[in-house]
Amino acid sequence: MAELIANACYGIDIGGTKIELVVCDAAMQVTWRRRVATPQGDYDGFLQAVVTLVAEADAALGRSDAAIGIALPGVRDRRSGRQLSANVPALTGQCVASDLQARLQRPLHFGNDLQCFALSEAHGGAADGYPSMFGAILGTGAGGGFCLQGRLLSGFNGLAGEWGHWSVPGHLLQRHGLPLIDCACGLQGCVERYVSGSGLAMIERHLGGSAADASVVIALAEAGDARARQALDIHRDLLGHSLAALVLALDPHVIVLGGGLSQYAPLYQLLPAAIAAHLFNGVQVPPIVPPRFGDAGGARGAALLACQPSFS
């Protein structure tokens, strides 16, 4: 046990609603975890929340030198170091990495939160053993990460896997009578505005409903509500198209779903046909599987960055 603690590393996942810290041992098993609410509009409060979580983990382990991996939402300008984060507005325009480094004074390894989810599932997760994988998160937004031979590919701008900001083609919006929606990234018609959990709720409301979130749409559909079922059908067609585009671009050996919608079991039976409908003959749909680590995958993936920086 002493050796496992000596080799422990921390992973911190910054989300739109929560910040989670996990402690992983040398075998990448989570031995301690803590979550707090994300201070959405308070940057100083955000920094203090992270520092406090680390202090609590240090106290629990009786040490203060563990390496830390941090999964940040959004993208970082590699020239200025400033963050752009639609889900945590307080981070936008801030030099988050350098500010946390100044406060924590120990080795820090930074990654994108969605990419860290993919990395976690590629190592001991649902995609373990596959030559390549794509982790596609369907939560408040949509995005993901791509791993090849277990290594996370982040790309020139660190954007690899930002599938949520591809565009939904106009013919699909026209087919379903959907509007062209502005995205917080500055573009229009981004995939995440339609296929995320919040996108599903938007579709139901556009059809005349009033669902506040995806869970309400699903509950209504399971109760036999025709409008909610139509919303799910439209959502599945749009999601099928976007994942078909991923197959054509990257041809992953497996796609692991994450986020709240990954818990909706019928997706795994219905999605393959929805994807195949947007592919030409002869192209096989890869396995579509649920995550092994659920919503803890981002923090565990961040810990992997700290324990094995060569994965990034």
Side-chain angles (χ1 to χ4, degrees), residues 248-295:
L248 293 174
L250 299 173
D251 201 17
H253 289 80
V254 63
I255 296 175
V256 183
L257 300 184
L261 284 180
S262 70
Q263 300 173 34
Y264 182 51
L267 266 184
Y268 300 96
Q269 287 75 50
L270 299 172
L271 258 184
I275 296 170
H278 295 283
L279 293 170
F280 50 83
N281 290 338
V283 179
Q284 294 186 25
V285 177
I288 312 295
V289 300
R292 181 167 298 170
F293 298 108
D295 62 358

Side-chain angles (χ1 to χ4, degrees), residues 115 118-119 122 131-134 145-153:
Q115 293 172 347
L119 182 62
S132 67
M133 65 82 69
F134 193 90
F146 182 58
C147 292
L148 183 63
Q149 301 295 345
R151 182 179 178 184
L152 181 66
L153 301 183

Side-chain angles (χ1 to χ4, degrees), residues 39-73:
Q40 281 277 341
D42 179 3
Y43 184 59
D44 288 337
F46 160 78
L47 294 174
Q48 187 55 51
V50 174
V51 170
T52 299
L53 276 176
V54 171
E56 291 176 357
D58 286 346
L61 269 69
R63 58 179 299 180
S64 60
D65 59 351
I68 303 173
I70 300 179
L72 290 171

Side-chain angles (χ1 to χ4, degrees), residues 140-294:
T140 305
F146 182 58
C147 292
L148 183 63
Q149 301 295 345
R151 182 179 178 184
L152 181 66
L153 301 183
S154 57
F156 177 65
N157 288 291
L159 289 174
E162 275 291 357
W163 141 86
H165 295 286
W166 294 358
S167 296
V168 176
H171 75 272
L172 280 184
L173 296 181
Q174 186 176 44
R175 174 190 297 177
H176 298 298
L178 294 173
L180 182 65
I181 301 174
D182 292 337
C183 183
C185 75
L187 301 176
Q188 289 184 310
C190 288
V191 163
E192 78 166 22
R193 296 307 307 270
Y194 303 88
V195 307
S196 62
S198 55
L200 172 59
M202 178 280 295
I203 293 170
E204 194 268 353
R205 292 194 299 271
H206 181 72
L207 296 174
S210 58
D213 56 40
S215 65
V216 174
V217 180
I218 291 170
L220 287 170
E222 290 177 342
D225 183 89
R227 180 188 290 117
R229 288 182 173 179
Q230 183 184 2
L232 280 170
D233 289 343
I234 293 172
H235 175 270
R236 187 167 60 254
D237 186 38
L238 299 180
L239 180 57
H241 180 276
S242 64
L243 293 179
L246 270 176
V247 171
L248 293 174
L250 299 173
D251 201 17
H253 289 80
V254 63
I255 296 175
V256 183
L257 300 184
L261 284 180
S262 70
Q263 300 173 34
Y264 182 51
L267 266 184
Y268 300 96
Q269 287 75 50
L270 299 172
L271 258 184
I275 296 170
H278 295 283
L279 293 170
F280 50 83
N281 290 338
V283 179
Q284 294 186 25
V285 177
I288 312 295
V289 300
R292 181 167 298 170
F293 298 108

